Amino acid sequence: MPKTKDIPQVKNEKQYEALRDKGYSKGKAARIANTPDSGEKGGKSSKYEKWTKAELYEQARNVGIDGRSTMSKSELIHALRNN
């Protein structure tokens, strides 16, 4: 019986495959491809430094960053940029 735990569930398969082709790990590619509105262009977002800690926390939750509940605002920004 295959391990389903090791197989990421992906909402945007095309983006997931493109990210994997660029060398992203399975987990990181799946997190990005599963982010709401992934693959859509044209949005403008303010810099993370202008976001509230609650907004950063919510974004970290959306992309699946572990340990976010104990992170400071600067740690959340770092994790979002480097995840």
Side-chain angles (χ1 to χ4, degrees), residues 1-67:
M1 179 175 214
K3 291 182 180 179
T4 57
K5 177 180 167 185
D6 295 336
I7 304 169
Q9 298 298 314
V10 179
K11 294 178 185 176
N12 187 335
E13 191 69 37
K14 186 176 177 181
Q15 184 182 33
Y16 172 80
E17 291 301 328
L19 292 168
R20 289 290 293 143
D21 290 344
K22 287 183 178 182
Y24 284 75
S25 70
K26 290 178 183 179
K28 184 170 185 176
R31 284 192 301 274
I32 293 169
N34 288 338
T35 301
D37 302 325
S38 68
E40 292 184 15
K41 293 185 176 181
K44 296 288 182 185
S45 180
S46 59
K47 295 185 178 203
Y48 282 142
E49 287 78 12
K50 294 185 178 184
W51 291 28
T52 66
K53 184 177 178 184
E55 291 169 328
L56 292 166
Y57 177 87
E58 186 63 23
Q59 181 66 11
R61 188 180 67 78
N62 288 339
V63 297
I65 295 174
D66 292 330

